[in-house]
Amino acid sequence: MKKKELFWFIGTTILVLILNTLIFGINGLNADATLDINIHDTYFIIPNYHFILLLAVLVFFGVYLVRTLRSNFKNLTANLIVMIATLLLILVLIGLDSILDAFITQTTSWSIYPPLSAGEVEQDIKPKENNLGILSSALFYTLIVLLMFLAFCGFKTGQNHKPNT
């Protein structure tokens, strides 16, 4: 790795730490720090390192995507880092999609049963309209686009950096 690439990598890592400090404060660097999310009657307590990893993957992907596109896929190190960041971003988005699917099934598959003493009274209950299905579809298509970009990036990297035989 060249010195220039090492400086870019260290600078991007420092940018991630600065953004983490701005978003979560100084306690965001604590290993036991958590983020509490309140959705209706449910509290989700998520460790901060999940968000730090998400932020790091997004920043590395963004910085090295710009560097790769500006150099027209000629910089091998930047190409490899953007491919690794793309793979990690795909993994993160798959995790988010599974959480989103759990929310969709939680909010759309419920029914109310009357007490047995009520007799034959059945109520038709229509679930609230939510747009989580649209978000899930958008996440799916984003994953497809990222996979196509990963294949294209691998093709261009192999095309520009053939071994001398």
Side-chain angles (χ1 to χ4, degrees):
M1 187 185 283
K2 298 176 187 175
K3 279 189 178 183
K4 179 181 176 184
E5 295 301 324
L6 185 63
F7 289 142
W8 271 100
F9 190 80
I10 291 171
T12 308
T13 306
I14 290 172
L15 178 65
V16 167
L17 291 174
I18 290 171
L19 287 175
N20 177 45
T21 305
L22 289 175
I23 294 172
F24 298 113
I26 198 70
N27 291 333
L29 298 175
N30 188 1
D32 296 331
T34 59
L35 181 68
D36 300 335
I37 300 173
N38 180 14
I39 298 177
H40 302 292
D41 293 337
T42 307
Y43 278 98
F44 294 101
I45 300 173
I46 303 170
N48 266 3
Y49 68 85
H50 292 292
F51 293 103
I52 293 171
L53 290 175
L54 174 64
L55 183 67
V57 167
L58 287 174
V59 169
F60 269 93
F61 178 75
V63 167
Y64 281 95
L65 176 67
V66 170
R67 289 197 64 218
T68 300
L69 293 177
R70 287 189 93 202
S71 69
N72 202 17
F73 296 94
K74 301 285 188 210
N75 189 345
L76 180 63
T77 307
N79 292 353
L80 292 176
I81 292 175
V82 81
M83 285 192 286
I84 291 169
T86 304
L87 281 172
L88 292 175
L89 185 60
I90 288 169
L91 290 175
V92 167
L93 290 181
I94 287 172
L96 286 176
D97 191 40
S98 68
I99 292 171
L100 187 63
D101 286 340
F103 280 141
I104 289 172
T105 57
Q106 180 184 10
T107 58
T108 59
S109 62
W110 58 276
S111 57
I112 295 177
Y113 296 105
L116 294 175
S117 62
E120 296 292 323
V121 177
E122 286 190 27
Q123 299 175 350
D124 289 336
I125 298 175
K126 296 180 181 176
K128 284 185 172 181
E129 184 178 326
N130 60 16
N131 297 327
L132 294 177
I134 296 170
L135 185 60
S136 179
S137 296
L139 244 129
F140 176 74
Y141 292 121
T142 303
L143 285 170
I144 298 298
V145 168
L146 283 173
L147 284 170
M148 290 183 343
F149 172 73
L150 183 64
F152 177 73
C153 190
F155 173 74
K156 290 298 278 184
T157 301
Q159 194 176 35
N160 289 333
H161 299 284
K162 293 179 184 175
N164 293 333
T165 55

